[in-house]
Amino acid sequence: MMSSYHHFDAHPSSDQQQQQQQQQQQSHHHHHHKKRSRSNASDDHGDPSEPQKFVNLPFYGEHKRAVSSVKLAPARLTKNRQPAPDSISNMVAFCASASSDGTVKIFDLGASAATTTTPVDATSSSSPQLSGKALLNPVTTLVGHARGINDVAWSPDSPMVATASDDKTLRLWDAVTGDALVEFRGHDNFVFCTQIYQNLLVSGSFDETVKLWDVRSGECVSTLPVHSDPVTAVSFNRDGTCLTSASHDGLIRIWDVATGECLKTIFAAGNPPVSHVTYSPNGKYILAGTLDSKLRLWNVGQRGSNKCTKTYETFSSKDQEPLHVNNKYCIVSDFLTCRPDRQCIVTGSETGKIILYDINSRKVHQVLEGHTDAVLAVDAHESQELIASGGMTQDKTVQFWAPLGGSAGYTKRHKR
């Protein structure tokens, strides 16, 4: 059954179904999900000119089920905003989090502290790691999908988000009002991933196809029968001319958006299932996560080149398991590159940790700890040092990470 590939707790239905899914998870170990997580607050402040360590920020969001996707809004959507005088942080940022509870929550990190509530008696709760933190209330909650949501994506130039759901549909929402604007119907199975570029929306599904849609009308523009297993990720390049897709079939394909022609097919040694893929900010590389607990950077800028440039992984030692484990779920990875002296790749892990790899040296730059279950959802802000992460079923929280002292001041100085 196709859903045996799917990430755990994807269908917000009955307890009996949840038990069946847990049994499937134990027997099938082919599961998709997404992630993000939190940081070792280090006492070591180091050289003031050196980048500060990321720390877990003192507030969090929460869902009723696993967090499947987190996305920080593009900087252009917040460029004219200022944080509230009593802001919970010194940052101006919005985060959308999707969950298998069927909702998306929009959080405002520059909101007044009055919009947060402190968890009741956090010290005696079942989650001691949340003690003393403020529960962040969403400014908007998007409700309407009939089943769990697997992915959420911001429009690059307007305050709208797209969602991909197990109810086989996608929707476009107004992130301010919470209104559903357009529904996209046509996939024959769970819709797992989505992204928006201008007036095009792309989706990947368990029906093994990638579809392109007109954002304004909801009409399907083209269908690419591209894979022989569920499609786990889709990503536009910087100018929207190309698209990459990844699948459990082990293949990464690059497409010409205008013609639908497959320009390139890439696969890693041993053909491991691909759990995530994304273009680098400059469009010259793609970053792929595979179910052998590795991330690979591929140079796709040169025509004909299929070279794996770098591989990122952690290793076990006699007293420690690997930090970065990915062999069951679809775990997201992203580029953290807004600061010239900290160029990193961020990924979640089935260990519940978030790993920051140095892009060039491939060494672990920092490990962020704070979630109590696997972290499948992570996202890094494009212009400030801010990371969001989401935890699976035993965790259900959305966490935020930034350097000690915050990054907003650094970003402004750097841009001048």
Side-chain angles (χ1 to χ4, degrees), residues 43-367:
D43 297 328
D44 174 21
H45 293 184
D47 181 337
S49 65
E50 292 288 312
Q52 298 289 311
K53 294 276 190 188
F54 277 81
V55 297
N56 195 203
L57 298 180
F59 49 86
Y60 69 98
E62 196 168 61
H63 278 276
K64 291 182 178 166
R65 295 200 175 187
V67 181
S68 54
S69 178
V70 290
K71 297 288 170 61
L72 293 158
R76 71 177 63 180
L77 298 186
T78 57
K79 65 183 177 187
N80 296 322
R81 292 177 62 91
Q82 295 292 327
D86 63 338
S87 165
I88 53 169
S89 74
N90 64 342
M91 290 174 286
V92 176
F94 285 92
C95 179
S97 64
S99 169
S100 50
D101 65 14
T103 70
V104 166
K105 296 186 177 184
I106 310 288
F107 298 104
D108 181 357
L109 274 58
S112 159
T115 63
T116 64
T117 55
T118 304
V120 179
D121 197 12
T123 51
S124 66
S125 78
S126 59
S127 303
Q129 83 281 6
L130 300 176
S131 177
K133 287 181 149 221
L135 176 62
L136 195 54
N137 290 326
V139 290
T140 318
T141 302
L142 312 180
V143 181
H145 279 294
R147 299 181 92 169
I149 299 171
N150 298 311
D151 200 9
V152 61
W154 287 91
S155 165
D157 39 31
S158 54
M160 298 187 293
V161 297
T163 49
S165 170
D166 276 357
D167 66 11
K168 305 180 188 176
T169 72
L170 299 109
R171 292 191 185 198
L172 185 71
W173 309 77
D174 183 316
V176 178
T177 65
D179 293 336
L181 306 174
V182 187
E183 188 174 42
F184 305 85
R185 292 184 169 271
H187 280 296
D188 297 328
N189 208 324
F190 311 133
V191 192
F192 195 69
C193 46
T194 188
Q195 200 178 18
I196 304 174
Y197 180 81
Q198 293 183 352
N199 290 321
L200 276 183
L201 181 144
V202 63
S203 60
S205 167
F206 270 52
D207 65 13
E208 304 174 5
T209 70
V210 169
K211 287 181 183 286
L212 286 163
W213 311 79
D214 186 314
V215 164
R216 297 158 297 186
S217 68
E219 295 296 313
C220 181
V221 178
S222 62
T223 299
L224 305 172
V226 297
H227 291 286
S228 56
D229 264 321
V231 179
T232 54
V234 286
S235 176
F236 283 109
N237 69 347
R238 191 166 60 168
D239 63 5
T241 57
C242 292
L243 172 68
T244 183
S245 62
S247 169
H248 249 265
D249 63 13
L251 301 182
I252 300 161
R253 295 191 190 273
I254 298 174
W255 306 89
D256 183 303
V257 170
T259 65
E261 177 191 358
C262 180
L263 303 175
K264 204 171 275 196
T265 299
I266 298 168
F267 54 90
N271 206 41
V274 187
S275 59
H276 187 254
V277 68
T278 187
Y279 271 99
S280 64
N282 65 12
K284 294 179 181 175
Y285 298 88
I286 57 172
L287 175 66
T290 44
L291 295 190
D292 55 2
S293 299
K294 294 179 184 178
L295 299 172
R296 291 175 179 87
L297 199 63
W298 302 85
N299 184 345
V300 295
Q302 299 153 352
R303 197 147 184 92
S305 165
N306 275 6
K307 190 179 174 207
C308 176
T309 310
K310 291 183 184 293
T311 302
Y312 305 87
E313 60 185 314
T314 62
F315 300 95
S316 57
S317 60
K318 61 175 186 270
D319 55 352
Q320 186 179 347
E321 290 297 305
L323 300 167
H324 174 198
V325 176
N326 181 20
N327 50 41
K328 294 182 193 174
Y329 303 106
C330 282
I331 292 184
V332 173
S333 48
D334 196 14
F335 291 89
L336 174 77
T337 55
C338 63
R339 181 167 177 149
D341 57 353
R342 175 154 44 200
Q343 301 277 297
C344 288
I345 285 166
V346 184
T347 187
S349 171
E350 287 157 20
T351 61
K353 296 175 170 61
I354 296 158
I355 294 93
L356 277 63
Y357 287 106
D358 182 281
I359 289 179
N360 289 320
S361 74
R362 298 172 296 160
K363 292 178 179 172
V364 174
H365 173 75
Q366 195 182 347
V367 179

